[in-house]
Amino acid sequence: MHVLIVGAAGMVGRKLTDKLVRDGSLGGRGVTRLTLSDVVAPAQPQGFGGQAVTDVSDLSTPGAAAKLAALRPDTIFHLAAIVSSEAEADFDKGYRINLDSTRALFEAIRQEGLKSPYNPRVVFTSSIAVFGSPFPEKISDEFIQAPLTSYGTQKTIDELLLSDYSRKGFFDGIGIRLPTICIRPGKPNKAASGFFSNILREPLSGQEAVLPVGEDVRHWHASPRAAVGFLIHAATLDTAKLGARRNLNMPGLSATVGEQLDALKRFGGEKALKLIRREPDATIAKIVAGWPRDFDPQRAVALGFKAEASFDEIIKIHIEDELGGKVGG
């Protein structure tokens, strides 16, 4: 089985690669070939028994998507995107990377199938940013997509393209709307949502973090481990159960910033809380105010997708996976 990961150098892409290498299979089929693509060179996977190829390319450049589609991978994970605040700040770049690249990949797969039969599974990572306020208490599977950011608009168009290309039989696609992934390892990025991870990750390592919003801000979260689980499950799911509705709200955990900090205190004590520096940022607060806060993802849960039930669980996963089982500082 040949698996292509587009966006393989990103955090979720790296963790997905590691999972596939550890398991050696996907949906009961042995993974014999991995193609890892990104705009920067993905790391060569260690311990993989099959063939692994890394590729540096930008799907928005002519011919890049066709080159990958010509490899005819059986499963394609499309994770590549620029983050919310960057897409909002740079309109042209956001549409080029988040929309034009996706359309180029989908169309390259279609063109490859016109040469001879080809129908791969395509798993696309969308976002809860496809929804805009005003929100109900819980967003159901029937809630309308009405994004209030360029990033959310780009992801919404991508979802529609995925559904249409799947309806026409060009590929077998499924879009998963990820919650905000928390706790993200590594250094802070340009995402407006980055502080949700920063206020836990840095104090747990004995470092200061900035909180730009109030403790009453509520948001929808899942761990990196859960995100990889979503991707694996989506790649192996019987998509006949989806019908024409190819995009799903993923399960997650609704929590306030205050509840995050309560969980931080349980693991790091007052010492960790004192490392939080409050610096209100009106721009970030405005962006976050337009994001969903809670979901009722009945379709995804019925289809077997799973996430964490508490922030204590999310912090435990971070400590296990990133801190060697110990709180630093």
Side-chain angles (χ1 to χ4, degrees):
M1 182 182 195
H2 181 190
V3 175
L4 165 64
I5 303 176
V6 182
M11 182 274 292
V12 175
R14 295 194 304 270
K15 288 184 174 290
L16 173 61
T17 300
D18 291 345
K19 173 69 171 172
L20 292 173
V21 169
R22 286 197 306 271
D23 292 352
S25 63
L26 180 64
R29 298 175 60 188
V31 177
T32 57
R33 185 176 179 186
L34 280 172
T35 299
L36 308 176
S37 180
D38 212 319
V39 293
V40 297
Q44 188 72 23
Q46 300 299 309
F48 181 55
Q51 179 187 10
V53 176
T54 59
D55 168 76
V56 179
S57 59
D58 180 344
L59 292 188
S60 67
T61 60
K67 180 183 69 174
L68 293 175
L71 301 174
R72 292 182 164 243
D74 302 288
T75 300
I76 300 171
F77 293 98
H78 179 24
L79 318 179
I82 63 169
V83 295
S84 52
S85 59
E86 189 175 3
E88 195 67 17
D90 191 332
F91 188 85
D92 291 332
K93 185 178 182 181
Y95 273 87
R96 179 172 61 84
I97 300 300
N98 293 343
L99 176 57
D100 296 345
S101 295
T102 299
R103 172 71 194 281
L105 178 61
F106 290 178
E107 184 60 18
I109 296 168
R110 183 178 81 89
Q111 292 298 326
E112 191 63 27
L114 294 177
K115 300 173 186 177
S116 61
Y118 178 51
N119 187 251
R121 172 66 57 88
V122 175
V123 181
F124 169 68
T125 49
S126 188
S127 167
I128 58 175
V130 301
F131 301 111
S133 59
F135 299 118
E137 183 176 343
K138 287 180 179 285
I139 293 177
S140 73
D141 295 317
E142 313 304 322
F143 192 66
I144 190 171
Q145 295 165 259
L148 296 177
T149 63
S150 294
Y151 177 78
T153 300
Q154 293 147 14
K155 289 292 189 177
T156 298
I157 299 170
D158 292 338
E159 287 190 6
L160 294 171
L161 288 171
L162 179 135
S163 293
D164 199 35
Y165 275 66
S166 296
R167 180 182 65 85
K168 297 290 286 185
F170 302 138
F171 55 68
D172 185 16
I174 176 170
I176 59 173
R177 297 176 184 133
L178 293 178
T180 288
I181 302 305
C182 189
I183 305 167
R184 297 182 69 93
K187 297 180 180 179
N189 62 21
K190 294 182 179 180
S193 60
F195 71 87
F196 288 117
S197 289
N198 302 349
I199 61 173
L200 301 176
R201 182 184 59 236
E202 269 64 40
L204 287 170
S205 296
Q207 300 175 43
E208 190 177 71
V210 172
L211 175 59
V213 301
E215 292 189 19
D216 61 338
V217 168
R218 177 175 292 278
H219 196 55
W220 187 243
H221 304 271
S223 74
R225 189 186 292 180
V228 171
F230 297 157
L231 290 164
I232 296 294
H233 191 59
T236 57
L237 184 70
D238 178 5
T239 52
K241 297 177 181 179
L242 296 176
R245 300 169 64 196
R246 289 281 174 150
N247 298 282
L248 292 166
N249 298 328
M250 289 294 97
L253 169 67
S254 178
T256 65
V257 168
E259 289 167 343
Q260 286 186 269
L261 297 181
D262 288 343
L264 173 64
K265 183 179 179 180
R266 286 192 285 274
F267 286 86
E270 289 289 347
K271 180 181 178 181
L273 287 182
K274 289 179 180 179
L275 292 169
I276 304 293
R277 188 172 78 250
R278 289 162 172 78
E279 292 185 0
D281 185 315
T283 299
I284 291 178
K286 182 178 179 181
I287 292 173
V288 173
W291 287 347
R293 299 170 181 82
D294 200 355
F295 283 79
D296 183 18
Q298 293 185 19
R299 289 185 71 214
V301 171
L303 289 166
F305 290 92
K306 298 177 182 179
E308 293 78 24
S310 72
F311 243 102
D312 283 36
E313 189 177 352
I314 287 176
I315 291 177
K316 285 179 182 178
I317 287 171
H318 178 74
I319 293 171
E320 290 172 5
D321 292 354
E322 310 299 335
L323 301 180
K326 297 180 181 180
V327 176

